[in-house]
Amino acid sequence: MKTGYTLLIALLLLACQNNPEISIDPENLLIGNWIDSSYDNEIVTFQRAASLNENAPGISFKENSVFIQRTSGWCGTPPLTFYDDQGTWKSQESLIIMSLENFPKNLQWRIISLDNNQLTVKRELSEQEKDHQDLMNLFNEITTLSNSISCIDSNNWSFTSYGTKACGGPQGFIAYSNEIDTVEFLKKIEAYNLAEKQYNIKWSIFSTCDVPKQPTSIECQNGYPIFKY
């Protein structure tokens, strides 16, 4: 009797594991919905599901090369609102190449393992992501110089525009102390502006056409420069 009861439990567990609602294409195990992502540095593991969760991240690979990423965007500030970023996908042996509507427009994942229940991939930076990383490294150099001196006397501070919107005009304004090497600082700004312009052209970046409001002065608050308008 105990053996029969144990066998029944085992069969019930097996039935739960092989959820009939989850459709699996034996010709291409990648096709389907993948949720519950877990991260280990650049390695991401997904679990197969019947559908994407409404208020949680997930991805879908469709038969017609449609790729869907359910995301809350890059900010990730609560309360989160999830939406679908749609694009296309293709595979080259173990490499999955995805093209999306929003940044990053191009993603590349190397498949580490794939079966009926689980997908594990290692993210590989696309050419666009590498270009964007170079751009951010240059901008980090600028902000590091800008933040290298505390704001005590606003008379010793100036500001300049930075960046190049795809639609034209600057991204914003940044303050800097006149006590730093201002010539070197402004050269970095100029280099960044040119690099962002080239990035926008190369990757067909779109942007809003609004013009950021220019500050009229700087005020020091708690050691930081604050723009006044």
Side-chain angles (χ1 to χ4, degrees), residues 16-222:
C16 290
Q17 291 173 353
N18 296 283
N19 190 336
E21 295 181 1
I22 299 179
S23 177
I24 298 176
D25 184 349
E27 300 296 325
N28 191 341
L29 293 178
L30 187 61
I31 293 174
N33 303 298
W34 302 93
I35 64 171
D36 295 338
S37 53
S38 59
Y39 294 82
D40 182 8
N41 295 320
E42 296 179 349
I43 296 176
V44 189
T45 299
F46 299 90
Q47 307 301 322
R48 191 186 295 274
S51 61
L52 298 181
N53 294 326
E54 184 175 350
N55 294 308
I59 55 173
S60 289
F61 295 99
K62 305 293 185 181
E63 291 182 353
N64 55 355
S65 298
V66 171
F67 175 71
I68 297 174
Q69 177 178 244
R70 184 153 296 173
T71 178
S72 60
W74 291 89
C75 181
T77 303
L80 300 180
T81 301
F82 287 86
Y83 62 92
D84 288 345
D85 189 6
Q86 184 168 311
T88 60
W89 71 276
K90 62 181 180 180
S91 60
Q92 296 178 353
E93 296 181 349
S94 64
L95 185 67
I96 315 170
I97 302 172
M98 296 146 287
S99 298
L100 293 164
E101 295 176 349
N102 301 309
F103 178 84
K105 288 192 172 182
N106 301 285
L107 288 173
Q108 294 184 167
W109 291 346
R110 182 72 62 181
I111 297 176
I112 296 177
S113 63
L114 171 61
D115 58 32
N116 288 350
N117 303 308
Q118 189 169 275
L119 166 66
T120 300
V121 298
K122 181 178 181 181
R123 185 172 180 181
E124 296 187 359
L125 291 180
S126 65
E127 184 181 354
Q128 183 189 2
E129 289 178 298
K130 290 177 182 176
D131 287 349
H132 188 266
Q133 191 174 69
D134 290 341
L135 198 61
M136 291 302 96
N137 288 339
L138 181 54
F139 188 69
N140 286 339
E141 292 179 17
I142 292 170
T143 55
T144 297
L145 279 174
S146 174
N147 297 326
S148 62
I149 294 181
S150 296
C151 186
I152 305 299
D153 183 355
S154 60
N155 292 319
N156 292 331
W157 284 74
S158 302
F159 63 85
T160 185
S161 61
Y162 73 89
T164 306
K165 281 191 171 186
C167 195
Q171 294 281 8
F173 294 86
I174 187 168
Y176 62 94
S177 170
N178 296 323
E179 297 177 18
I180 66 173
D181 186 339
T182 56
V183 174
E184 181 65 20
F185 180 80
L186 294 175
K187 280 183 178 180
K188 287 184 180 293
I189 292 284
E190 186 177 352
Y192 176 80
N193 295 347
L194 178 59
E196 186 169 34
K197 181 179 180 179
Q198 293 172 338
Y199 176 87
N200 292 340
I201 294 172
K202 180 178 181 180
W203 297 109
S204 302
I205 302 300
F206 294 92
S207 73
T208 59
C209 296
D210 56 305
V211 178
K213 188 175 182 181
Q214 181 169 327
T216 56
S217 62
I218 293 174
E219 181 179 293
C220 293
Q221 293 183 11
N222 300 319

